[in-house]
Amino acid sequence: MKYTIAKMFQILRHNRWVSILMIIEIALGMSVFTYSLNMFFSLSREKENQKNQERDLVLEISGGEGMNDIEKQAFTLKDYEKVDEITDGQTFLYVVLPQFYSYKNENYEFVMILVDYKKLDLKNGYTYWGNGLQDIMNCEMNPIPQLEKKQMPTKIAELNWKTETDEIKLKKCMVAPITYMEQYKEEISSAAIHVEWKKKYLKNEEKTIQKIETYLYNSHDQSFRYRIYSPEIELRNNTIKVMTSLQAINKVALLFMAVFLTGMIAIYQLRFEHREESYGISLAYGAQYKELYWEIFCEILLLNSIGTIIGIVIGYLVTYYVDFGIMISVVNVQGSWYTFLSAYGLCVVLSSFVSVITFRKLKKKKIIELLNVY
């Protein structure tokens, strides 16, 4: 095995310029392929997350004309009470507030969630802390000293709430009553407010939505824009444009792969002709055909693996650090292990295909023909 690996590297060094060109070509193809797969898996993951959300209608708040949303509250406790009344108690509101505290020369960062305790069956008089905040909970620091600190119930700590830009894991949060919205109003931006509904529980859905939007517009003097929408439906509509872009990227990746595959087959056919005598000598000295096949396969796989790994690294860097404006803003594009496995799996398939074609040509010839003895 050690001899085979050393021989492969020697062959690659001997044909280094051709090898470098082939590595560059497969790296380009694999980088595009990796980026495309990362976007596809990110989109699929977002679709699954949307399906698993308990509530499927969301209030979108944006700044209105001539009014900065910092100057005025976009959604108040009074608004919540009124909207909850309109929906017969089916409105779910939570406010996300990042917190930073210094205590005894230690800095603590966590997320405080303001929520209606009745909707979560929590008792008043406490703040509830997830098990991911044990170190903060156990110290004397208390953001709301009027309330006693308490361990968050397991059924609440297991919840994950999806926002437009992030996923809130309650086990890493502190939960406080929604009545503290007034106390923290200067810290509450429109992006921190999340108002949601389950549409199947709304009586006369369209009429109810219109009534809520009308109330909010009238209550805030057109200072903000309000829109109630379904994230799942909006994602589905935007997916059509994204998938069109993904198909175009896939075609580019496949074109690179097709050119690479054609070039590799031609190059290895040429290499085979130059190494016929070497193969013939190996067979004459007792080498088995399967040993020669594995030698050919490993050589091709090594070359392809180098290009594939480089391409995967480039694809992941592009995924995290380059925005081509293809994906919609609510989808967080991330790398996936499925991408790595798919890309390297394709590498193995291509290597196997080229190896088989080259080996079949070798096996068609007799040893005496390989040795050029006539």
Side-chain angles (χ1 to χ4, degrees):
M1 186 66 180
K2 185 177 180 181
Y3 166 76
T4 303
I5 294 173
K7 185 178 178 182
M8 285 188 296
F9 276 106
Q10 184 179 6
I11 292 170
L12 292 179
R13 282 198 301 270
H14 182 70
N15 302 279
R16 58 184 174 276
W17 294 115
V18 174
S19 299
I20 289 172
L21 287 173
M22 294 177 70
I23 288 172
I24 291 173
E25 193 169 346
I26 193 171
L28 286 172
M30 282 298 181
S31 63
V32 178
F33 182 68
T34 299
Y35 177 62
S36 174
L37 279 182
N38 279 339
M39 289 199 298
F40 173 77
F41 287 127
S42 296
L43 187 61
S44 301
R45 185 166 51 245
E46 184 64 29
K47 286 181 180 178
E48 196 62 32
N49 287 340
Q50 294 291 0
K51 288 180 181 178
N52 293 332
Q53 288 302 299
E54 184 180 350
R55 285 163 283 274
D56 49 15
L57 284 177
V58 176
L59 175 66
E60 179 186 68
I61 306 173
S62 54
E65 295 180 4
M67 176 62 69
N68 189 320
D69 61 357
I70 298 177
E71 298 176 6
K72 200 170 184 180
Q73 279 187 280
F75 196 90
T76 64
L77 184 60
K78 180 181 177 182
D79 292 333
Y80 167 63
E81 292 170 349
K82 180 61 179 179
V83 170
D84 199 39
E85 180 186 331
I86 293 173
T87 59
D88 296 325
Q90 297 303 320
T91 301
F92 187 80
L93 165 69
Y94 65 95
V95 181
V96 180
L97 295 175
Q99 299 292 299
F100 177 84
Y101 283 91
S102 293
Y103 180 78
K104 291 185 177 180
N105 298 321
E106 293 288 338
N107 295 325
Y108 297 95
E109 292 184 54
F110 61 96
V111 174
M112 179 167 64
I113 306 290
L114 303 181
V115 69
D116 188 342
Y117 275 20
K118 291 181 181 178
K119 301 293 174 74
L120 294 180
D121 293 325
L122 296 175
K123 293 182 180 180
N124 291 320
Y126 301 95
T127 56
Y128 292 87
W129 298 72
N131 51 26
L133 299 178
Q134 284 294 334
D135 55 336
I136 305 177
M137 182 182 176
N138 293 333
C139 72
E140 297 178 10
M141 179 196 68
N142 192 349
I144 307 180
Q146 303 93 323
L147 302 178
E148 185 180 341
K149 291 192 283 188
K150 192 172 185 179
Q151 184 75 44
M152 188 182 295
T154 303
K155 66 177 182 178
I156 305 299
E158 291 175 349
L159 295 176
N160 294 332
W161 291 342
K162 176 72 177 170
T163 71
E164 287 189 2
T165 58
D166 202 0
E167 186 175 0
I168 305 296
K169 298 180 184 296
L170 265 70
K171 66 181 180 181
K172 296 181 179 180
C173 299
M174 182 268 276
V175 173
I178 197 69
T179 50
Y180 281 84
M181 277 184 73
E182 187 65 26
Q183 179 177 323
Y184 286 93
K185 64 181 179 181
E186 293 182 0
E187 299 180 35
I188 300 175
S189 66
S190 57
I193 300 167
H194 303 275
V195 190
E196 304 172 352
W197 302 267
K198 188 72 174 177
K199 59 184 176 183
K200 71 177 183 179
Y201 296 135
L202 297 181
K203 298 176 182 178
N204 198 335
E205 179 190 332
E206 291 186 7
K207 188 176 180 181
T208 301
I209 289 174
Q210 185 178 10
K211 193 172 182 180
I212 293 171
E213 291 177 347
T214 300
Y215 162 76
L216 291 173
Y217 272 115
N218 292 338
S219 298
H220 295 270
D221 302 322
Q222 307 295 318
S223 299
F224 298 92
R225 295 189 182 92
Y226 301 91
R227 179 176 72 102
I228 297 174
Y229 70 99
S230 169
E232 185 178 350
I233 294 175
E234 192 147 298
L235 179 64
R236 192 186 310 143
N237 293 337
N238 287 325
T239 297
I240 298 173
K241 182 185 75 171
V242 175
M243 291 306 295
T244 301
S245 300
L246 285 179
Q247 288 171 6
I249 293 174
N250 286 334
K251 288 177 182 177
V252 173
L254 290 174
L255 178 62
F256 273 117
M257 292 301 175
V259 172
F260 166 75
L261 182 60
T262 304
M264 177 166 274
I265 292 173
I267 288 171
Y268 271 94
Q269 292 292 325
L270 186 62
R271 281 189 178 186
F272 169 77
E273 293 175 2
H274 283 85
R275 291 160 62 184
E276 284 184 349
E277 189 173 354
S278 173
Y279 291 134
I281 292 172
S282 297
L283 290 168
Y285 274 90
Q288 300 295 316
Y289 275 105
K290 65 178 182 180
E291 292 174 350
L292 294 182
Y293 171 77
W294 284 112
E295 181 181 318
I296 294 170
F297 173 73
C298 290
E299 179 185 335
I300 296 172
L301 181 62
L302 175 63
L303 185 70
N304 288 354
S305 295
I306 295 171
T308 296
I309 296 299
I310 294 173
I312 289 174
V313 170
I314 294 172
Y316 271 79
L317 289 174
V318 172
T319 297
Y320 284 100
Y321 298 107
V322 180
D323 182 10
F324 293 110
I326 296 172
M327 297 298 277
I328 49 183
S329 59
V330 295
V331 179
N332 184 20
V333 183
Q334 295 179 325
S336 168
W337 275 106
Y338 293 113
T339 298
F340 177 81
L341 294 175
S342 300
Y344 199 76
L346 179 60
C347 166
V348 174
V349 170
L350 290 177
S351 301
S352 301
F353 182 73
V354 177
S355 302
V356 168
I357 291 177
T358 305
F359 181 70
R360 286 180 65 184
K361 188 172 182 179
L362 168 65
K363 205 166 183 182
K364 283 180 181 179
K365 292 196 174 187
K366 297 178 181 179
I367 296 177
I368 195 168
E369 292 176 325
L370 294 170
L371 291 171
N372 294 318
V373 179
Y374 298 98

